[in-house]
Protein backbone atom coordinates (compact mmCIF):
# COMPACT_ATOMS: atom_id res chain seq x y z
CA UNK A 1 0.00 0.00 0.00
CA UNK A 2 2.78 2.41 0.90
CA UNK A 3 4.49 1.62 -2.38
CA UNK A 4 1.34 2.28 -4.37
CA UNK A 5 0.79 5.50 -2.45
CA UNK A 6 4.30 6.67 -3.29
CA UNK A 7 3.75 5.75 -6.91
CA UNK A 8 0.51 7.70 -6.90
CA UNK A 9 2.19 10.75 -5.42
CA UNK A 10 5.00 10.46 -7.93
CA UNK A 11 2.50 10.20 -10.78
CA UNK A 12 0.64 13.23 -9.49
CA UNK A 13 3.93 15.09 -9.31
CA UNK A 14 4.71 14.22 -12.90
CA UNK A 15 1.22 15.32 -13.90
CA UNK A 16 1.70 18.60 -12.06
CA UNK A 17 5.07 19.12 -13.73
CA UNK A 18 3.47 18.39 -17.09
CA UNK A 19 0.79 20.99 -16.46
CA UNK A 20 3.40 23.49 -15.36
CA UNK A 21 5.44 22.76 -18.47
CA UNK A 22 2.39 23.27 -20.68
CA UNK A 23 1.64 26.55 -18.93
CA UNK A 24 5.23 27.67 -19.44
CA UNK A 25 5.02 26.80 -23.13
CA UNK A 26 1.78 28.75 -23.48
CA UNK A 27 3.29 31.76 -21.78
CA UNK A 28 6.40 31.53 -23.97
CA UNK A 29 4.23 31.37 -27.09
CA UNK A 30 2.16 34.34 -25.94
CA UNK A 31 5.32 36.36 -25.40
CA UNK A 32 6.66 35.33 -28.79
CA UNK A 33 3.39 36.39 -30.43
CA UNK A 34 3.19 39.88 -28.94
CA UNK A 35 1.00 41.92 -31.30
CA UNK A 36 3.43 44.83 -31.43
CA UNK A 37 6.27 42.68 -32.76
CA UNK A 38 4.46 39.96 -34.73
CA UNK A 39 3.40 39.88 -38.38
CA UNK A 40 1.07 37.29 -39.90
CA UNK A 41 2.09 36.32 -43.45
CA UNK A 42 -0.30 34.58 -45.82
CA UNK A 43 1.48 32.87 -48.71
CA UNK A 44 -0.19 32.58 -52.13
CA UNK A 45 -3.70 32.41 -50.68
CA UNK A 46 -5.04 33.79 -53.95
CA UNK A 47 -8.00 32.87 -56.13
CA UNK A 48 -5.86 31.36 -58.89
CA UNK A 49 -4.14 29.02 -56.44
CA UNK A 50 -6.65 28.08 -53.72
CA UNK A 51 -9.87 29.54 -55.15
CA UNK A 52 -12.76 27.90 -56.96
CA UNK A 53 -11.08 28.41 -60.37
CA UNK A 54 -7.60 27.40 -59.30
CA UNK A 55 -4.82 26.64 -61.74
CA UNK A 56 -3.87 23.91 -59.26
CA UNK A 57 -7.19 22.21 -58.39
CA UNK A 58 -5.61 19.40 -56.36
CA UNK A 59 -3.82 21.91 -54.12
CA UNK A 60 -6.95 24.04 -53.83
CA UNK A 61 -9.01 20.99 -52.85
CA UNK A 62 -6.52 19.94 -50.17
CA UNK A 63 -6.29 23.48 -48.78
CA UNK A 64 -10.05 23.62 -48.40
CA UNK A 65 -10.74 20.02 -47.39
CA UNK A 66 -8.03 20.03 -44.70
CA UNK A 67 -9.37 23.23 -43.20
CA UNK A 68 -6.09 25.04 -43.81
CA UNK A 69 -7.65 27.87 -45.82
CA UNK A 70 -10.41 28.34 -43.26
CA UNK A 71 -7.79 28.44 -40.52
CA UNK A 72 -5.82 31.10 -42.39
CA UNK A 73 -9.02 33.16 -42.53
CA UNK A 74 -9.55 32.65 -38.78
CA UNK A 75 -6.00 33.77 -38.07
CA UNK A 76 -6.36 36.85 -40.27
CA UNK A 77 -9.58 37.82 -38.48
CA UNK A 78 -7.94 37.31 -35.08
CA UNK A 79 -4.88 39.30 -36.14
CA UNK A 80 -7.08 42.21 -37.18
CA UNK A 81 -8.79 42.10 -33.81
CA UNK A 82 -5.55 41.88 -31.84
CA UNK A 83 -3.70 44.59 -33.74
CA UNK A 84 -1.28 42.17 -35.43
CA UNK A 85 -0.09 43.36 -38.83
CA UNK A 86 -1.11 41.13 -41.74
CA UNK A 87 0.91 40.81 -44.95
CA UNK A 88 -0.46 38.93 -47.96
CA UNK A 89 2.19 37.57 -50.35
CA UNK A 90 0.86 37.08 -53.87
CA UNK A 91 2.62 35.44 -56.83
CA UNK A 92 1.78 36.80 -60.26
CA UNK A 93 3.18 37.34 -63.74
CA UNK A 94 2.70 39.83 -66.51
CA UNK A 95 0.78 38.57 -69.55
CA UNK A 96 3.98 38.94 -71.59
CA UNK A 97 6.00 37.10 -68.94
CA UNK A 98 8.58 39.87 -68.62
CA UNK A 99 10.61 39.61 -65.43
CA UNK A 100 9.23 36.22 -64.44
CA UNK A 101 11.43 33.24 -63.71
CA UNK A 102 11.84 30.42 -66.23
CA UNK A 103 14.77 28.57 -64.73
CA UNK A 104 12.82 25.68 -63.18
CA UNK A 105 10.37 23.09 -64.47
CA UNK A 106 7.75 24.46 -62.08
CA UNK A 107 7.77 27.87 -63.75
CA UNK A 108 7.62 26.43 -67.26
CA UNK A 109 4.71 24.17 -66.32
CA UNK A 110 2.85 27.06 -64.66
CA UNK A 111 3.18 29.13 -67.83
CA UNK A 112 1.17 26.47 -69.71
CA UNK A 113 -1.69 26.17 -67.22
CA UNK A 114 -5.18 27.22 -68.37
CA UNK A 115 -5.50 29.64 -65.44
CA UNK A 116 -2.76 32.26 -65.33
CA UNK A 117 -1.80 34.42 -62.36
CA UNK A 118 -1.81 37.60 -64.44
CA UNK A 119 -1.32 40.93 -62.73
CA UNK A 120 -4.64 42.69 -62.19
CA UNK A 121 -6.74 39.58 -62.82
CA UNK A 122 -9.16 37.84 -60.47
CA UNK A 123 -6.60 35.04 -60.08
CA UNK A 124 -4.29 37.25 -58.02
CA UNK A 125 -6.92 38.51 -55.58
CA UNK A 126 -6.71 37.18 -52.04
CA UNK A 127 -9.12 34.25 -51.90
CA UNK A 128 -12.30 33.92 -49.88
CA UNK A 129 -12.95 33.41 -47.02
CA UNK A 130 -9.90 35.53 -46.13
CA UNK A 131 -10.86 39.14 -45.46
CA UNK A 132 -8.35 41.82 -46.44
CA UNK A 133 -8.48 44.90 -44.20
CA UNK A 134 -7.43 48.42 -45.15
CA UNK A 135 -4.39 48.16 -42.90
CA UNK A 136 -3.16 44.93 -44.49
CA UNK A 137 -0.18 45.03 -46.84
CA UNK A 138 -0.28 43.09 -50.12
CA UNK A 139 3.13 42.31 -51.63
CA UNK A 140 3.27 40.98 -55.18
CA UNK A 141 6.20 39.24 -56.84
CA UNK A 142 6.89 38.45 -60.47
CA UNK A 143 9.71 35.99 -59.97
CA UNK A 144 11.17 33.28 -57.80
CA UNK A 145 9.86 30.83 -55.25
CA UNK A 146 9.91 32.83 -52.03
CA UNK A 147 7.67 35.59 -50.68
CA UNK A 148 10.77 37.15 -49.06
CA UNK A 149 13.73 36.79 -51.40
CA UNK A 150 13.91 39.68 -53.86
CA UNK A 151 10.69 41.31 -52.59
CA UNK A 152 9.82 44.21 -50.27
CA UNK A 153 8.73 41.91 -47.46
CA UNK A 154 11.94 41.95 -45.40
CA UNK A 155 12.20 45.75 -45.47
CA UNK A 156 8.52 46.08 -44.59
CA UNK A 157 8.87 43.66 -41.67
CA UNK A 158 11.81 45.59 -40.27
CA UNK A 159 10.00 48.90 -40.63
CA UNK A 160 7.04 47.36 -38.78
CA UNK A 161 9.25 46.27 -35.90
CA UNK A 162 8.63 42.61 -36.60
CA UNK A 163 10.52 40.03 -34.57
CA UNK A 164 8.19 37.04 -35.03
CA UNK A 165 6.78 36.02 -38.40
CA UNK A 166 3.79 33.68 -38.52
CA UNK A 167 3.83 31.82 -41.84
CA UNK A 168 0.59 30.40 -43.28
CA UNK A 169 -0.76 29.37 -46.67
CA UNK A 170 0.51 27.28 -49.58
CA UNK A 171 2.25 25.36 -50.64
CA UNK A 172 3.99 23.17 -48.11
CA UNK A 173 5.91 21.79 -51.08
CA UNK A 174 7.69 25.00 -52.15
CA UNK A 175 6.70 28.51 -51.11
CA UNK A 176 6.00 27.91 -47.40
CA UNK A 177 9.35 26.23 -46.59
CA UNK A 178 11.09 28.88 -48.71
CA UNK A 179 9.42 31.59 -46.63
CA UNK A 180 10.36 29.88 -43.36
CA UNK A 181 14.01 29.34 -44.30
CA UNK A 182 14.42 32.87 -45.66
CA UNK A 183 12.84 34.39 -42.56
CA UNK A 184 15.07 32.36 -40.24
CA UNK A 185 18.15 33.29 -42.26
CA UNK A 186 17.15 36.96 -41.98
CA UNK A 187 16.96 36.71 -38.20
CA UNK A 188 13.22 36.44 -37.56
CA UNK A 189 11.65 33.95 -35.19
CA UNK A 190 9.16 31.92 -37.19
CA UNK A 191 5.94 30.37 -35.95
CA UNK A 192 4.09 27.90 -38.18
CA UNK A 193 0.50 26.96 -37.32
CA UNK A 194 0.63 23.45 -38.71
CA UNK A 195 -3.08 23.31 -39.49
CA UNK A 196 -2.93 26.54 -41.54
CA UNK A 197 -0.60 25.33 -44.30
CA UNK A 198 -1.28 22.81 -47.06
CA UNK A 199 0.52 20.96 -49.83
CA UNK A 200 0.11 17.97 -52.13
CA UNK A 201 -0.30 15.15 -51.61
CA UNK A 202 -2.10 15.80 -48.33
CA UNK A 203 0.07 13.41 -46.33
CA UNK A 204 3.23 15.22 -47.43
CA UNK A 205 2.50 18.26 -45.26
CA UNK A 206 2.68 16.60 -41.80
CA UNK A 207 5.84 14.74 -42.84
CA UNK A 208 7.48 17.94 -44.03
CA UNK A 209 6.46 19.76 -40.85
CA UNK A 210 7.79 16.98 -38.63
CA UNK A 211 11.06 16.39 -40.47
CA UNK A 212 11.92 19.87 -41.71
CA UNK A 213 10.01 22.85 -40.32
CA UNK A 214 10.15 21.54 -36.76
CA UNK A 215 13.93 22.00 -36.89
CA UNK A 216 13.77 25.74 -37.54
CA UNK A 217 10.33 27.05 -36.54
CA UNK A 218 8.04 27.02 -33.52
CA UNK A 219 5.09 24.77 -34.31
CA UNK A 220 1.63 25.55 -33.00
CA UNK A 221 -2.01 25.27 -33.98
CA UNK A 222 -4.50 27.89 -35.10
CA UNK A 223 -6.25 27.61 -31.74
CA UNK A 224 -2.94 28.19 -29.93
CA UNK A 225 -2.46 31.46 -31.80
CA UNK A 226 -6.05 32.57 -31.27
CA UNK A 227 -5.66 31.95 -27.54
CA UNK A 228 -2.36 33.83 -27.43
CA UNK A 229 -3.83 36.87 -29.16
CA UNK A 230 -6.78 36.89 -26.77
CA UNK A 231 -4.61 36.48 -23.66
CA UNK A 232 -4.02 39.49 -21.39
CA UNK A 233 -0.62 41.05 -21.88
CA UNK A 234 1.83 40.39 -19.04
CA UNK A 235 4.53 42.86 -20.12
CA UNK A 236 3.32 45.77 -18.02
CA UNK A 237 3.42 43.69 -14.84
CA UNK A 238 6.95 42.47 -15.57
CA UNK A 239 8.21 45.91 -16.52
CA UNK A 240 6.59 47.41 -13.43
Amino acid sequence: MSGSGAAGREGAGRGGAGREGAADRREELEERLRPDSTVLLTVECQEGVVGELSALPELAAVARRSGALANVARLVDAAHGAGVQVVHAVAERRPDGRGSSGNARLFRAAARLPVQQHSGSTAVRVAAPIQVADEDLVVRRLHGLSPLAGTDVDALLRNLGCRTLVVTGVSANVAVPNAVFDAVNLGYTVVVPRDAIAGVPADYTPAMIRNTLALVATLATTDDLLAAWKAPRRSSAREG
Side-chain angles (χ1 to χ4, degrees), residues 172 177-178 180-181 204-217 219:
N178 263 262
V180 172
F181 289 140
Y204 173 75
T205 299
M208 189 274 298
I209 291 172
R210 182 174 60 252
N211 296 301
T212 302
L213 296 188
L215 303 177
V216 295
L219 301 181

Side-chain angles (χ1 to χ4, degrees), residues 8 48 62 65 70 72 95 106 114 119 135 158 169 171 179 196 221 233 239:
V62 170
R65 187 169 60 245
V72 175
L106 174 65
S119 302
E135 63 268 24
R158 295 186 188 281
S171 72
T221 66
R233 295 292 107 198
E239 291 167 1

Side-chain angles (χ1 to χ4, degrees), residues 155-172:
L156 294 175
L157 295 179
R158 295 186 188 281
N159 289 343
L160 291 164
C162 176
R163 297 182 63 185
T164 298
L165 185 66
V166 178
V167 177
T168 66
V170 297
S171 72

Side-chain angles (χ1 to χ4, degrees), residues 96-145:
D96 61 10
R98 288 180 183 271
S100 296
S101 304
N103 57 335
R105 190 175 76 178
L106 174 65
F107 302 133
R108 296 190 291 273
R112 297 192 296 270
L113 292 174
V115 177
Q116 290 293 303
Q117 316 297 321
H118 285 162
S119 302
S121 70
T122 301
V124 298
R125 294 178 185 169
V126 176
I130 298 168
Q131 297 294 319
V132 180
D134 290 341
E135 63 268 24
D136 292 1
L137 299 174
V138 180
V139 180
R140 305 178 183 279
R141 77 178 194 274
L142 291 173
H143 64 89
L145 299 169

Side-chain angles (χ1 to χ4, degrees), residues 4-215:
S4 62
R9 287 193 297 274
E10 184 180 351
R14 283 198 299 268
R19 288 191 293 273
E20 289 173 6
D24 288 344
R25 287 192 294 274
R26 284 195 299 272
E27 185 171 348
E28 181 180 357
L29 185 63
E30 289 169 12
E31 179 62 23
R32 191 162 289 173
L33 292 167
R34 288 172 58 97
D36 59 353
S37 58
T38 298
V39 171
L40 172 65
L41 179 71
T42 75
V43 178
E44 296 184 26
C45 292
Q46 57 201 75
E47 290 289 352
V49 176
V50 295
E52 296 295 335
L53 299 176
S54 171
L56 304 165
E58 183 182 2
L59 176 59
V62 170
R64 292 176 177 276
R65 187 169 60 245
S66 68
L69 186 61
N71 284 333
V72 175
R74 293 172 65 207
L75 287 166
V76 169
D77 287 345
H80 291 157
V84 174
Q85 179 66 53
V86 179
V87 176
H88 304 281
V90 173
E92 58 183 46
R93 58 184 283 124
R94 287 167 47 114
D96 61 10
R98 288 180 183 271
S100 296
S101 304
N103 57 335
R105 190 175 76 178
L106 174 65
F107 302 133
R108 296 190 291 273
R112 297 192 296 270
L113 292 174
V115 177
Q116 290 293 303
Q117 316 297 321
H118 285 162
S119 302
S121 70
T122 301
V124 298
R125 294 178 185 169
V126 176
I130 298 168
Q131 297 294 319
V132 180
D134 290 341
E135 63 268 24
D136 292 1
L137 299 174
V138 180
V139 180
R140 305 178 183 279
R141 77 178 194 274
L142 291 173
H143 64 89
L145 299 169
S146 171
L148 276 76
T151 73
D152 292 335
V153 170
D154 180 38
L156 294 175
L157 295 179
R158 295 186 188 281
N159 289 343
L160 291 164
C162 176
R163 297 182 63 185
T164 298
L165 185 66
V166 178
V167 177
T168 66
V170 297
S171 72
N173 305 77
V174 179
V176 167
N178 263 262
V180 172
F181 289 140
D182 285 347
V184 171
N185 285 331
L186 289 166
Y188 300 100
T189 295
V190 178
V191 174
V192 177
R194 54 183 177 266
D195 54 356
I197 65 172
V200 290
D203 60 1
Y204 173 75
T205 299
M208 189 274 298
I209 291 172
R210 182 174 60 252
N211 296 301
T212 302
L213 296 188
L215 303 177

Side-chain angles (χ1 to χ4, degrees), residues 212-233:
T212 302
L213 296 188
L215 303 177
V216 295
T218 297
L219 301 181
T221 66
T222 295
D223 286 344
D224 291 336
L225 271 68
L226 299 186
W229 286 335
K230 289 178 182 176
R233 295 292 107 198

